[in-house]
Amino acid sequence: MALDANPLNVGALPAILAGPVLRRLTRTKVSVWVALTRGSDVSLAVRVAGQPITEIVSAPMTPVRVGTNLWFAVITADAPGGSFAAGLLYEYKLTSPGWPQPNWTDVAIGTAQPTFSGPPATVADLKVFHTSCRKVHGGGRDGLALAADVISSRITANTPNARPHLLVLAGDQIYADEVPAPLVPRIRRIATDLVGVDETGLFGPLPAIAGRQVPSESFGLTSSAASDHLWTLGEFLATYLL
């Protein structure tokens, strides 16, 4: 039986499905986005890197439920000491009474927890990473994996401002029209088991793999590569998670 013919064991999935992603940083506050399989309250802890005594913990916030087994959250915390200092490195983590702490070093580069640099003092000091589309079958290197390698090499070389202050993602991001056929069963599995929003009343029974070109055109979509075009909310959310 094909792997994606079996329902996901949702209870065995980790609490954090995607993220944490540093969403917004000002002089005094930081916001972190995360996708979860649990709906329990989440708090954000921030500290000067390597200095637990400076840690600030936000008030708990309740994630927004976007599917039967999927929640999103953006948690905001104040800066330790009232302001994020230019050139200083900060660590952060998420905590919740509803799930155990993951191994944060798995999503950190050179530190015990995920990190970010304080906003630069001048525009000349601003370090920006820019990448374009997340096309799974594009034939090129994964831009985010390459970014991690660049950061690691800059840290090893003791490069000033080794970490970027800003990540700019331009382009189509997920290519909602040009979906690779081998990924379609996994997308539909996640859409069904994690999101679980029934949209058959709008789209009818979903066509077989590679069967959406003509129906997509009938919807007014103009892509010539729409044989597996994403249609439903669940499919879009699943693809972004992947």
Side-chain angles (χ1 to χ4, degrees):
M1 179 180 290
L3 173 65
D4 293 305
N6 298 312
L8 294 175
N9 182 357
V10 176
L13 292 175
I16 297 177
L17 281 181
V21 174
L22 193 69
R23 188 65 185 86
R24 187 169 187 263
L25 176 65
T26 68
R27 288 289 177 196
T28 59
K29 294 183 182 295
V30 61
S31 297
V32 173
W33 176 93
V34 69
L36 302 160
T37 59
R38 315 283 191 273
S40 53
D41 286 359
V42 184
S43 296
L44 173 61
V46 184
R47 70 187 188 190
V48 177
Q51 299 184 26
I53 194 172
T54 65
E55 186 167 274
I56 297 290
V57 181
S58 73
M61 69 88 58
T62 302
V64 175
R65 192 170 196 170
V66 295
T68 54
N69 295 291
L70 182 62
W71 287 260
F72 290 164
V74 177
I75 312 101
T76 299
D78 294 324
S83 179
F84 291 114
L88 198 59
L89 194 64
Y90 296 88
E91 297 175 329
Y92 68 93
K93 66 180 180 180
L94 302 176
T95 62
S96 174
W99 38 268
Q101 286 287 293
N103 183 359
W104 290 112
T105 58
D106 289 343
V107 290
I109 303 176
T111 52
Q113 296 172 190
T115 60
F116 60 91
S117 297
T122 68
V123 173
D125 294 328
L126 180 66
K127 303 299 180 185
V128 178
F129 275 15
H130 171 263
T131 188
S132 185
C133 313
R134 299 282 286 168
K135 187 176 181 179
V136 177
H137 52 312
R141 293 189 63 184
D142 185 327
L144 292 183
L146 178 59
D149 292 341
V150 170
I151 293 171
S152 294
S153 64
R154 287 168 62 85
I155 292 173
T156 300
N158 293 316
T159 304
N161 290 321
R163 303 166 192 268
H165 298 104
L166 182 65
L167 173 65
V168 178
L169 300 175
D172 290 331
Q173 296 188 31
I174 59 166
Y175 276 83
D177 61 334
E178 197 172 344
V179 180
L183 195 59
V184 173
R186 176 52 51 97
I187 291 172
R188 296 187 184 184
R189 183 80 270 164
I190 294 172
T192 298
D193 296 345
L194 284 185
V195 184
V197 176
D198 185 0
E199 295 183 65
T200 54
L202 179 61
F203 294 104
L206 297 182
I209 294 175
R212 294 191 178 184
Q213 183 65 48
V214 172
S216 292
E217 292 174 359
S218 74
F219 297 155
L221 302 172
T222 57
S223 172
S224 61
S227 59
D228 287 303
H229 201 303
L230 303 179
W231 286 356
T232 70
L233 172 66
E235 291 171 352
F236 272 88
L237 294 180
T239 305
Y240 271 102
L241 290 174
L242 289 169

